[in-house]
Amino acid sequence: SQDGHYNLISALHKSVRGSDPDAALYWLARMLAGGEDPLYIARRLVRMAVEDIGLADPQALVQAIAAKDTYDFLGTPAYAAPEQVRGDHDVVDVRTDVYALGVVLFRVLTGRLPFDCSRGLADLLAEIQEAHPGRPSRWNRALDDDLDAIVAKAMAKDAERRYASVDALDADLARYLAREPIDARRGRLWYEMRTALRRHRTAVGVLAIVLLL
């Protein structure tokens, strides 16, 4: 209940203020067992570090923020981009979101994640930074080279090589569905000619018949 929610967080606050670690752990466990959102708890701990501990222990805030950031990251490690894994925060931007959407697209198309999460976090993070996920068509033979290229561009290790925005990724998927040349493979003359012929195959067939008459 809402009352129970506020009673528990109030009890946790009082335990922290009273420097009673056993009680604080008890109320924290009660909140988690009751289904409280761990991210909400992490945010409240940051607030307690500022308001209730403050200068009495400057490391409290550092540790609380680190705990919150760790939870934020570990909640979805399989969708983390290489720059997030490296801790290269200066590079993290909308292209990091494009990478995560590339992972979602990979999973939708294949029914699996691009990297193996069963071998432990260290191996997963190493693969995200160093390994190639492979073509989605390897696991779903109904897929073609265009979808492989779209996923590869979205999940490029180098953020500069990804789509510049989520809208750009969406636009390329729309081009794929419309049988138009996709940006992920643009610049290849034979590819663009083949795509155009495929898109207008009926007109090309009629023209070919006329020329043969």
Side-chain angles (χ1 to χ4, degrees):
S1 69
Q2 195 74 357
D3 288 342
H5 162 83
Y6 287 115
N7 288 338
L8 288 174
I9 194 64
S10 176
L12 179 60
H13 263 260
K14 290 177 181 177
S15 301
V16 172
R17 288 195 196 104
S19 300
D20 188 342
D22 291 337
L25 287 173
Y26 170 79
W27 293 115
L28 180 62
R30 280 282 303 275
M31 293 179 72
L32 291 171
E36 189 64 73
D37 181 3
L39 186 56
Y40 168 80
I41 296 175
R43 288 170 176 163
R44 296 296 297 206
L45 291 175
V46 171
R47 182 175 173 180
M48 290 180 209
V50 174
E51 297 179 354
D52 301 318
I53 300 175
L55 295 178
D57 184 357
Q59 284 301 308
L61 180 58
V62 174
Q63 293 173 4
I65 291 175
K68 175 186 171 296
D69 289 346
T70 299
Y71 178 81
D72 278 338
F73 178 73
L74 292 181
T76 53
Y79 297 84
E83 59 269 21
Q84 288 177 298
V85 173
R86 294 193 305 268
D88 192 355
H89 301 299
D90 291 338
V91 182
V92 173
D93 56 21
V94 68
R95 294 168 299 180
T96 305
D97 296 330
V98 168
Y99 181 95
L101 288 174
V103 176
V104 171
L105 183 58
F106 188 104
R107 189 170 190 176
V108 168
L109 294 173
T110 67
R112 69 189 299 278
L113 287 166
F115 300 111
D116 185 5
C117 299
S118 65
R119 294 187 298 167
L121 182 60
D123 287 338
L124 172 61
L125 299 184
E127 286 194 1
I128 289 173
Q129 293 182 82
E130 301 166 6
H132 190 280
R135 293 170 172 260
S137 59
R138 174 184 173 188
W139 291 276
N140 183 349
R141 296 187 180 279
L143 305 179
D144 59 20
D145 290 344
D146 279 4
L147 279 175
D148 282 343
I150 289 172
V151 173
K153 184 174 179 66
M155 292 185 60
K157 301 293 185 190
D158 183 355
E160 294 289 339
R161 299 181 61 187
R162 294 178 207 148
Y163 293 101
S165 67
V166 173
D167 286 343
L169 170 58
D170 180 63
D172 225 12
L173 287 170
R175 279 187 284 271
Y176 170 79
L177 293 174
R179 295 187 175 183
E180 298 174 356
I182 60 171
D183 277 352
R185 301 181 70 190
R186 195 172 294 279
R188 303 175 187 180
L189 181 60
W190 170 243
Y191 161 73
E192 295 186 14
M193 289 176 58
R194 187 184 65 184
T195 304
L197 290 173
R198 184 175 59 186
R199 186 183 180 198
H200 303 289
R201 65 178 65 185
T202 301
V204 171
V206 171
L207 178 61
I209 292 172
V210 170
L211 292 174
L212 289 173
L213 292 178

